[in-house]
Amino acid sequence: MQRVITQTVSITRCSAFRRKVLFSCYRQTAAMSTLLINQPKYSWLKELGLREENDGVYNGTWGGKGEVITSYCPANNEPIAKVRQATMQEYEETVKKAKDAWKVWADIPAPKRGEIVRQIGDALRKKSKVLGSLVSLEMGKIFVEGVGEVQEYIDVCDYAVGLSRMIGGPVLPSERPGHALIEQWNPVGLVGIITAFNFPVAVYGWNNAIALISGNVCLWKGAPTTPLTSVAVTKIVAEVLEENKLPGAICSMTCGGADIGTALAKDERVDLVSFTGSTNVGKQVALTVQERFGRQLLELGGNNAIIVFEDADLNLVIPSALFAAVGTAGQRCTTTRRLFLHESVHDVVVEKLAKAYKQVRIGDPWDPSTMYGPLHTKQAVDMYLAAVDQAKQQGGTVVCGGKVIDRPGNYVEPTIVTGLAHNAPIVHTETFAPILYVLKFKTEEEAFARNNEVKQGLSSSIFTTDMGKVFRWLGPKGSDCGIVNVNIPTSGAEIGGAFGGEKHTGGGRESGSDAWKQYMRRSTCTINYSKELPLAQGIKFE
């Protein structure tokens, strides 16, 4: 009898356990079915090799045993898909594989490395629209900007291919007979690339393409809120490496949070840390890397200004200010946040600009007719509201905008604020949101000084037809920014020029010009091909 009772209890417990497992599986299946990737409208995500749950580590093989995170669409705050992040053990394994891969990659001649980068560019071309759609879906920028961002990576690949046949140091005249003096440039080794949410493709592309042709391998940690884009891009690059029978760890990736970022900064095996993000975090990265005498490339904040003089062409000013302040919903590091207007044109420009703001088409970022999408996160909406409130408290008047838009997603109104002092605390604060502070000025000296008085020094623009003003603006007493424009907005930099800024912007330079030097180390080499041993500076040691 006891045995029967025991068996009955065991069967009952077993049935309860089975129901619990089945219920758990049901809940998991239900959760998966709510992901956007499983809806027919978003089936194109699978063209990028994405699934409901994705590996967040690549080092020649795919993995991810860490925390499972969900990526959300800023336009509706619905879950897109999931990613398994890297554990610290997987990070360690990835660094070791990357260092081993470098031994292979560094031996490949630079033009041959350029050929691999060319193939990466071509692979991106084939998927530029679908990858741009993912950027739009996951980051929130409008579709044309998402595709444009992928195009930046493609363009930098093209640029890097040419550069792979041109990198070189000078042959210098030696003061000693029978001697040659040359500069030799070699790769630094392993480049750790930490990118931000607002450009989840392009910033990696700038670093990756130039680092690769320079002979480096890369380890990428993308933003935790855009992990699907990191995975999709890495799949495209990995396929090229695998087709060429090269170690996949040449372009490694570890999705993760602050723990992975801190590890990269501290790791002496990471020869260069390229960090793009906020000034506050960038300062921590800089201190950590400097403590180990490592190399760093910092692309941080920008509190960018447009200055409009009395002789400016307002037909250029209005669309320029609109695009630079509202584009990407104010989430570019080159976004215009301060608009200095000569007192004689202040009122008319504010009136025209406010009218233009009301014509901005707000909507789903992947709708081709949309000009303005959502902020990236709910936290960004809170920061926007706090900044508007502070602007009012400090004497500002909201001319248009200033509110959250009542619709699904993280939408806020593009905002213009007038009446603030040029040195008001909120004016000197970079809020990553579409808020434009409009300020009056009287003289050229006053305008230039106010452009330079903020801590950041990324991008700046003036609008004028006076060539004297133009060259003074470009000169030593003009703008102190890394990007100095005339009659164009602060945003929209081309890949051919070095990108970066001064002061709290970090001082780094990426992309064009001689930015490749950031990814290489220089040796001054003296070769004695004579039978004598003369010393420099005429010194005799006999």
Side-chain angles (χ1 to χ4, degrees):
M1 185 68 181
Q2 179 67 34
R3 187 179 300 169
V4 173
I5 293 171
T6 303
Q7 286 176 341
T8 304
V9 170
S10 297
I11 292 168
T12 304
R13 284 176 178 169
C14 186
S15 298
F17 176 73
R18 191 177 292 123
R19 284 197 302 272
K20 187 176 180 182
V21 169
L22 288 171
F23 180 66
S24 175
C25 291
Y26 169 77
R27 281 196 307 177
Q28 198 169 24
T29 304
M32 286 297 190
S33 67
T34 63
L35 297 173
L36 295 184
I37 195 169
N38 291 321
Q39 297 180 17
K41 181 179 178 182
Y42 303 101
S43 60
W44 51 266
L45 286 166
K46 294 176 182 178
E47 294 177 35
L48 293 166
L50 297 175
R51 303 179 303 230
E52 293 92 343
E53 190 166 297
N54 301 274
D55 293 330
V57 177
Y58 179 74
N59 52 32
T61 57
W62 287 91
K65 299 174 183 174
E67 180 186 358
V68 178
I69 60 168
T70 302
S71 177
Y72 291 88
C73 172
N76 51 32
N77 284 322
E78 293 183 23
I80 306 170
K82 299 174 183 289
V83 174
R84 292 187 302 275
Q85 294 185 319
T87 62
M88 290 310 300
Q89 183 179 345
E90 288 175 309
Y91 165 80
E92 182 68 24
E93 178 186 321
T94 300
V95 171
K96 287 179 181 176
K97 286 189 174 182
K99 296 296 279 189
D100 287 341
W102 178 78
K103 295 172 186 175
V104 176
W105 187 243
D107 281 342
I108 296 173
K112 298 292 185 184
R113 296 194 296 256
E115 165 58 18
I116 302 302
V117 172
R118 184 195 66 77
Q119 291 179 35
I120 291 172
D122 283 350
L124 289 163
R125 274 188 182 89
K126 292 173 185 174
K127 295 191 174 177
S128 63
K129 290 206 168 37
V130 68
L131 186 55
S133 295
L134 172 59
V135 172
S136 184
L137 183 71
E138 188 175 41
M139 184 273 151
K141 62 177 59 174
I142 62 175
F143 174 71
V144 291
E145 286 190 298
V147 175
E149 184 179 338
V150 179
Q151 187 63 47
E152 280 194 68
Y153 192 173
I154 295 167
D155 290 345
V156 173
C157 284
D158 289 346
Y159 179 87
V161 173
L163 192 61
S164 70
R165 293 182 178 271
M166 296 170 61
I167 285 178
V171 177
L172 303 165
S174 174
E175 65 183 69
R176 289 172 281 186
H179 285 59
L181 193 61
I182 65 173
E183 283 187 359
Q184 174 73 25
W185 290 85
N186 286 304
V188 295
L190 173 57
V191 178
I193 304 169
I194 303 173
T195 60
F197 74 87
N198 59 332
F199 280 87
V201 173
V203 173
Y204 174 66
W206 291 351
N207 284 274
N208 174 252
I210 305 298
L212 286 180
I213 60 99
S214 299
N216 302 294
V217 295
C218 301
L219 173 52
W220 181 22
K221 190 199 90 68
T225 53
T226 54
L228 297 174
T229 301
S230 297
V231 171
V233 170
T234 300
K235 282 182 178 291
I236 292 169
V237 175
E239 190 173 337
V240 172
L241 294 174
E242 289 162 9
E243 285 175 354
N244 285 275
K245 295 180 172 50
L246 288 166
I250 289 169
C251 294
S252 299
M253 177 201 67
T254 51
C255 290
D259 56 340
I260 300 295
T262 300
L264 272 169
K266 288 182 176 179
D267 198 333
E268 293 192 357
R269 296 167 299 178
V270 179
D271 301 284
L272 167 66
V273 176
S274 175
F275 173 84
T276 301
S278 71
T279 297
N280 288 337
V281 178
K283 186 183 291 185
Q284 296 170 27
V285 170
L287 291 171
T288 303
V289 176
Q290 181 57 42
E291 191 172 35
R292 63 177 175 86
F293 289 99
R295 296 177 64 153
Q296 56 196 300
L297 197 170
L298 302 175
E299 295 289 354
L300 311 178
N303 194 345
N304 315 295
I306 288 177
I307 299 171
V308 179
F309 286 98
E310 63 271 28
D311 62 341
D313 182 348
L314 298 189
N315 290 324
L316 293 177
V317 169
I318 303 304
S320 293
L322 178 69
F323 170 72
V326 170
T328 325
Q331 297 170 112
R332 288 174 175 247
C333 52
T334 53
T335 291
T336 297
R337 310 202 182 279
R338 299 175 297 149
L339 178 61
F340 291 103
L341 301 175
H342 189 270
E343 57 185 5
S344 65
V345 297
H346 177 276
D347 293 350
V348 65
V349 170
V350 170
E351 182 184 351
K352 287 178 179 287
L353 196 56
K355 191 177 294 183
Y357 265 53
K358 291 172 184 175
Q359 296 173 27
V360 173
R361 295 188 299 277
I362 301 170
D364 292 337
W366 50 88
D367 182 337
S369 67
T370 298
M371 294 174 60
Y372 173 94
L375 292 178
H376 186 54
T377 61
K378 294 177 182 179
Q379 290 80 5
V381 174
D382 293 339
M383 290 195 309
Y384 163 86
L385 289 172
V388 171
D389 189 51
Q390 288 176 51
K392 291 176 182 177
Q393 291 177 20
Q394 292 170 26
T397 300
V398 176
V399 173
C400 68
K403 299 174 185 173
V404 174
I405 299 173
D406 184 17
R407 59 173 292 165
N410 308 319
Y411 287 86
V412 300
E413 295 176 339
T415 301
I416 299 174
V417 179
T418 61
L420 286 163
H422 67 92
N423 57 355
I426 192 62
V427 174
H428 282 233
T429 302
E430 182 196 21
T431 303
F432 229 55
I435 304 173
L436 180 66
Y437 304 114
V438 181
L439 311 151
K440 287 183 183 179
F441 74 91
K442 292 182 180 181
T443 67
E444 175 186 316
E445 292 76 13
E446 184 179 75
F448 287 5
R450 290 177 181 178
N451 174 76
N452 296 346
E453 70 183 359
V454 296
K455 290 183 177 180
Q456 302 88 348
L458 180 53
S459 187
S460 56
S461 300
I462 63 167
F463 283 79
T464 182
T465 54
D466 184 334
M467 293 307 293
K469 286 190 180 77
V470 169
F471 282 98
R472 288 191 290 274
W473 173 242
L474 303 179
K477 296 181 181 178
S479 173
D480 64 358
C481 295
I483 299 171
V484 183
N485 296 326
V486 177
N487 294 332
I488 64 167
T490 56
S491 55
E494 297 183 28
I495 63 102
F499 181 90
E502 302 298 324
K503 303 188 294 188
H504 285 216
T505 299
R509 293 295 186 275
E510 294 173 340
S511 195
S513 185
D514 65 348
W516 59 269
K517 293 180 178 180
Q518 301 260 10
Y519 304 89
M520 304 193 80
R521 57 179 178 81
R522 169 167 43 188
S523 301
T524 301
C525 309
T526 307
I527 302 164
N528 181 3
Y529 57 88
S530 73
K531 300 291 186 181
E532 306 297 328
L533 194 62
L535 301 178
Q537 292 85 46
I539 295 172
K540 295 188 182 297
F541 190 73
E542 297 174 346

